[in-house]
Every structure is written in C-alpha cells, then in structure tokens.
Amino acid sequence: MKINGIDISEYGARQWNVTPAFSSISNKSQWIEGAAVPLLLESGISMKKIKVSVMLEGEGRDIIWGNTRKLIAALLSPAEIQLEGFPNLYHMALNNVSSAELSLQKFHKATLELVGYEHGEEISVSGMGSRFYINNPGDAETPAVMEITPFIGKTSITIKGLVRDRYTQEEKPITVKRISQRKKIVLDGEKGLFTEDGINKMGDIDIWGLPILLPGTNLIEMDQADQEMKLRFKPRYI
C-alpha cells in the first residue's frame, strides 16, 4: 500500500486486508398516491467507502504507536492511495480509524475507514483538427481537462460533446469568446477553473456545466479546425 507514492513500510506497516465497496447509490423514485405508475428517476452515484486493515510491527509499544500516529497523520489530508492487489487508484479521505493490539510488544492492527472515489491512471489525447473520438474505459462519468491552443486569433470557438443537461442528458455547447493567438485556453472539469494563459477567463465562456466524459466512446467536435487540442482525464469507476 502506498500513500501519495510513499510505501507504508516507511511507518513499519504493511497492508493486511481490504474490504472493497461500490460507490454509494441514491435514488429519489417514488410512487405518488393515486398515480397509476411510479415516478422512476435516474440513480445518483456518491462516494465510495472502503476499509483497509494494516499491520504495524516494531520493537516495543512506543515505536509501534508512534508509527501508527505517523500513518494517521499522512491521511489527515485527502490522499492518493494505491492498494496491493487492486489495479486502480483511490483518492480518499480518512473518515475513521480503529485499533487493536495483537501483541503488547510486537504487533498492532489498525483499521482505516476511507471515503472518496476510484480512478485509473491519467489518459492524455492530443491532436489538431475539429473532431476527436475519445474512449473513456471507466464505467462512471469522468471529469475532463481540455486545453486548446489556437493558431490564430478569432472571435469565438464552439465545442460540443463535453457538457450535458443534468436531467435530460441533452448535449449543451461550450462557447469560448475573444480567442487570442497561441494563448492556451484550459477548461478544467476537475477543479472547475477556466483560464487563458493562467488568467481567469470565465467571463468569456458560455458553459452549462463542468466538462465530463461518459463511459465508452465520446465524440468531441469544434466548429473550427485551426487549433491544437489536448484532453486529459482519469477514468472513474463505480
């Protein structure tokens, strides 16, 4: 097990057991009194909860408990976690921790309760043109970061395929205005930031939501072809 790339052996610990889980599912469907059929709504996906048990070893209780405190401290801020035996990564926050002494002087077991989401390694696709087919291997909606570097200045550019109506799933275009030559525009669906050369550009962008990719193949279209496009995303999993 690694926390932000650091193996937990640094704390005298090793991964012992993992209780995996799917993301939490919520649904507000209801059968209204007097209606002939129920109102069935789309289910929503929330955070994933997993438990990880780790074994800590050391020469004496003080050393073991000291290492346990260091391990907990490493998880107080949201962290990127890599679990042994699991192919994907987990962006998690520590929700609770419990402990048990298996041996007063040699072994200690800590159970970490974590909440967050599961994702794959970052995928980057780049090219020039106006149409791009992007394959998202995840099985959940995935935030995307789009970078556009125009070859010439222009009044505006319209992008389709990254934003949809939350309820109807109808595609909604993104319009970026006042385009400057060679100034990189970034539409960041993870952080919710929209910039041009690092400067806030929200005032020049008409957008209905954050850029996301659906599971499977996504078609991204722009109304002009004279720019370089780069799309980055970390596939998410239910």
Side-chain angles (χ1 to χ4, degrees):
M1 176 179 172
K2 294 182 179 180
I3 302 172
N4 291 329
I6 299 174
D7 197 290
I8 61 172
S9 61
E10 294 284 329
Y11 312 111
R14 56 190 172 90
Q15 180 180 312
W16 183 258
N17 184 54
V18 177
T19 304
F22 294 109
S23 298
S24 301
I25 305 295
S26 62
N27 192 289
K28 296 184 179 180
S29 297
Q30 58 180 318
W31 201 323
I32 300 173
E33 185 177 355
V37 294
L39 175 63
L40 299 177
L41 303 174
E42 184 176 347
S43 297
I45 298 174
S46 188
M47 290 193 293
K48 179 170 295 193
K49 299 178 182 180
I50 63 174
K51 290 184 179 181
V52 181
S53 296
V54 297
M55 196 68 67
L56 296 107
E57 303 176 57
E59 294 298 326
R61 179 185 288 176
D62 288 346
I63 294 175
I64 295 173
W65 278 84
N67 284 334
T68 304
R69 288 192 293 268
K70 291 177 183 178
L71 176 64
I72 294 171
L75 290 167
L76 291 180
S77 296
E80 199 89 309
I81 296 175
Q82 183 178 353
L83 297 172
E84 294 177 23
F86 292 80
N88 294 321
L89 300 170
Y90 296 82
H91 195 77
M92 291 279 172
L94 183 64
N95 193 46
N96 194 23
V97 60
S98 57
S99 60
E101 282 190 328
L102 302 184
S103 169
L104 292 180
Q105 299 298 328
K106 295 290 185 180
F107 304 102
H108 179 87
K109 179 183 177 182
T111 300
L112 311 170
E113 297 180 24
L114 304 161
V115 294
Y117 61 89
E118 178 182 352
H119 67 86
E121 295 283 358
E122 184 174 90
I123 295 173
S124 179
V125 180
S126 59
M128 294 179 288
S130 60
R131 288 167 61 92
F132 303 89
Y133 288 93
I134 311 294
N135 180 55
N136 175 16
D139 50 35
E141 291 185 351
T142 300
V145 180
M146 181 181 234
E147 301 176 359
I148 303 169
T149 305
F151 299 146
I152 60 172
K154 58 189 74 175
T155 303
S156 66
I157 183 171
T158 299
I159 307 159
K160 296 180 180 179
L162 284 174
V163 175
R164 297 159 191 83
D165 184 276
R166 178 180 176 184
Y167 300 101
T168 67
Q169 291 298 301
E170 177 188 3
E171 281 195 7
K172 297 291 186 179
I174 303 170
T175 302
V176 184
K177 306 169 187 174
R178 296 199 298 175
I179 307 295
S180 301
Q181 182 181 14
R182 295 292 179 181
K183 287 190 176 182
K184 182 189 293 184
I185 297 165
V186 179
L187 309 176
D188 192 328
E190 289 190 346
K191 298 179 180 178
L193 298 176
F194 308 100
T195 60
E196 183 180 61
D197 263 13
I199 299 173
N200 191 313
K201 196 173 173 63
M202 189 63 210
D204 292 331
I205 299 177
D206 295 332
I207 192 167
W208 291 74
L210 296 177
I212 62 167
L213 295 175
L214 298 177
T217 301
N218 295 256
L219 173 60
I220 311 300
E221 296 181 284
M222 292 182 275
D223 63 349
Q224 300 171 56
D226 50 356
Q227 65 268 323
E228 183 178 6
M229 188 282 299
K230 182 177 181 180
L231 196 74
R232 299 183 283 110
F233 63 98
K234 298 175 181 177
R236 291 198 181 177
Y237 297 86
I238 295 174

